[in-house]
Amino acid sequence: MELDGRRLRDGSTLETDVCIVGSGPAGITLAREFLRFSCDAVMLESGGFRAERGIQKLNEGDTVGDAYAGLQHTRHRQVAGSANIWNTPVGRKLGAKYVPLDPWDFQQCEDVPHSGWPLDYPHLRPFYERAQEICGLGPLAYEGMDWFVGQESGPSLDGHLSQRVYQFGLGRPFTSTYLKEIRESANVRLVHHSTAVRLETEAGGRRIVGLSVGTLSGRRFRVRARWILLAAGAIENARLLLLSEGPGGDALGNQHDWVGRCFMEHPRDYALTLVLRSPDLFHSLACYDARPRPSGSIVGGRMALDQATVLSAGLPNASVSLLPREAARPSLFRLPRRLLACPHSSGRQGRRGGYGWSRMKEPSRWFDGFKLIVNLEQRPHVENRVALSRAMDPLGVP
């Protein structure tokens, strides 16, 4: 079932058992859990069924300090959320890259303040296994040896590196299959074009009873629920709590000033290049391309720090992806016409330096090496934070 918040009566109230804020992959996964039960659920989505410029402007914000891709480019407001922008035409449509946390990511490091998790990998494993199935992936297997054998496993890595993989998955389960289930359900209402602007509380901020909701058309309404689940992403979840009043006048849940702190991303370094001395090395490194496996899964290799290195040296986790570097070409006016023809169609995206290069007939014609993309984990740091500004968005919200 679906409702358009712009058509609800101004000042009206929706009553429900459960309200889910956000209809991205997390929100849709939660909503599907309620399809089996008799309880009523509402799933709020800020956007509609297509990307709308006015809605995306609600993602605007300021970045202070180190350079960052920006709040506009890293988030997406639309029914099914960021899954809508996973289906990018990279060689073949690959979608999102998946990888779970490593078991040692949860451990406390004595030299790193605020490190360590209140749970461990064995606790999460059954949920990871469920997530693999929901996302349309293969088994919960991310070691290179789980996917590659013999020569296709590439050169051996000595010292501090081990070979792992990413799995790739399309957004289609969320943008189509699961969304259709929800839209056809009798007990889950998808309410789109409806932005949660504040959590409503009673008993001096000690009990959450509902949500204030706004639309760009100017209408306001409320959702009253016994349970409210925030599935709007790390930035928007923190923003919503900071907008809402808790006990003693503090932001909701923020009595200890931790809401929005220790924000983390994946800093990337592009400074290193691997130059190949022999064209044959392209074929030996094919495992680092995104490639379909006999099981139907699509995986791409990566070099990762091994457990002993991370723990003994006290390092944050890191891994390296390899993408081909396009070779410098002589002037087009001097090239014979036959050399200007495109390579085999399956490698056109690979020719531009993305995934798909290993399916080209002669990658050494187009590339002279690899760009090494280093993905780093961040340390928890209290000054990396989400905070409210004095500027207001089109809904009148900081």
Side-chain angles (χ1 to χ4, degrees):
M1 184 187 306
E2 65 185 69
L3 298 172
D4 187 334
R6 299 169 298 183
R7 298 183 179 180
L8 295 178
R9 183 168 53 85
D10 195 39
S12 61
T13 298
L14 295 179
E15 301 277 354
T16 186
D17 296 313
V18 178
C19 180
I20 302 167
V21 182
S23 76
I28 285 177
T29 299
L30 288 167
R32 292 181 71 232
E33 293 295 304
F34 296 103
L35 295 177
R36 300 174 292 165
F37 302 104
S38 59
C39 69
D40 185 51
V42 163
M43 182 169 64
L44 288 178
E45 170 53 47
S46 182
F49 289 98
R50 59 181 179 83
E52 301 172 43
R53 182 174 299 178
I55 295 293
Q56 302 309 318
K57 284 180 68 67
L58 295 174
N59 283 333
E60 289 182 347
D62 300 320
T63 301
V64 179
D66 295 336
Y68 181 55
L71 302 181
Q72 276 272 26
H73 299 290
T74 55
R75 305 186 295 157
H76 189 72
R77 293 176 187 250
Q78 186 178 345
V79 175
S82 295
N84 288 282
I85 55 177
W86 290 355
N87 302 337
T88 52
V90 183
R92 56 181 293 171
K93 292 187 176 182
L94 296 175
K97 288 194 298 188
Y98 289 87
V99 64
L101 292 168
D102 289 318
W104 49 93
D105 288 327
F106 300 90
Q107 298 186 22
Q108 183 175 3
C109 181
E110 294 182 0
D111 298 329
V112 180
H114 314 300
S115 62
W117 288 57
L119 42 77
D120 56 18
Y121 185 86
H123 177 92
L124 277 184
R125 184 179 178 91
F127 300 102
Y128 274 141
E129 290 173 342
R130 287 187 64 195
Q132 292 284 128
E133 181 179 356
I134 290 169
C135 295
L137 305 176
L140 183 61
Y142 285 84
E143 298 288 342
M145 67 182 69
D146 296 324
W147 299 94
F148 306 123
V149 295
Q151 291 184 343
E152 69 172 355
S153 61
S156 61
L157 299 177
D158 298 324
H160 305 293
L161 294 174
S162 61
Q163 190 184 75
R164 310 262 179 74
V165 301
Y166 291 112
Q167 292 191 40
F168 293 83
L170 294 176
R172 190 174 300 116
F174 300 101
T175 60
S176 179
T177 308
Y178 302 151
L179 184 58
K180 181 180 179 182
E181 294 175 0
I182 291 169
R183 295 176 73 179
E184 294 177 350
S185 72
N187 68 314
V188 177
R189 288 175 285 176
L190 165 63
V191 186
H192 54 84
H193 290 97
S194 302
T195 303
V197 298
R198 184 170 56 86
L199 291 160
E200 296 183 347
T201 61
E202 290 180 351
R206 288 176 172 80
R207 184 170 67 249
I208 302 170
V209 296
L211 282 159
S212 296
V213 183
T215 72
L216 288 182
S217 64
R219 300 197 180 191
R220 297 290 187 270
F221 62 93
R222 302 170 66 226
V223 178
R224 288 186 61 90
R226 295 175 57 197
W227 299 93
I228 295 179
L229 311 179
L230 300 186
I235 293 173
E236 207 65 29
N237 285 349
R239 182 192 191 195
L240 192 53
L241 292 171
L242 293 171
L243 289 167
S244 308
E245 187 173 332
D250 294 313
L252 191 59
N254 200 33
Q255 297 91 324
H256 302 287
D257 194 27
W258 274 102
V259 173
R261 290 193 182 271
C262 293
F263 174 76
M264 298 183 189
E265 248 287 4
H266 289 285
R268 292 176 177 85
D269 181 271
Y270 300 87
L272 302 176
T273 301
L274 178 65
V275 179
L276 303 187
R277 295 185 177 181
S278 168
D280 295 335
L281 288 174
F282 278 101
H283 298 289
S284 67
L285 294 172
C287 61
Y288 292 101
D289 193 11
R291 307 171 72 195
R293 306 309 300 164
S295 63
S297 300
I298 299 177
V299 302
R302 60 190 179 97
M303 300 178 189
L305 292 179
D306 62 20
Q307 178 179 359
T309 299
V310 170
L311 296 180
S312 63
L315 296 173
N317 216 336
S319 68
V320 182
S321 300
L322 280 67
L323 289 178
R325 185 181 74 167
E326 196 164 4
R329 295 288 164 190
S331 170
L332 295 180
F333 295 106
R334 299 179 183 176
L335 284 177
R337 183 181 299 273
R338 61 186 176 83
L339 293 182
L340 295 179
C342 287
H344 191 274
S345 60
S346 67
R348 287 182 180 175
Q349 177 63 28
R351 181 189 169 195
R352 294 195 293 271
Y355 288 114
W357 60 268
S358 66
R359 296 192 298 278
M360 297 170 59
K361 190 172 183 180
E362 296 180 71
S364 59
R365 287 180 59 196
W366 307 100
F367 310 113
D368 61 4
F370 288 89
K371 296 173 289 185
L372 303 186
I373 303 173
V374 184
N375 287 279
L376 304 166
E377 296 288 351
Q378 282 190 260
R379 299 293 200 193
H381 195 298
V382 295
E383 294 306 319
N384 290 338
R385 66 183 306 191
V386 178
L388 300 180
S389 73
R390 295 180 181 178
M392 298 291 179
D393 72 8
L395 291 175
V397 176

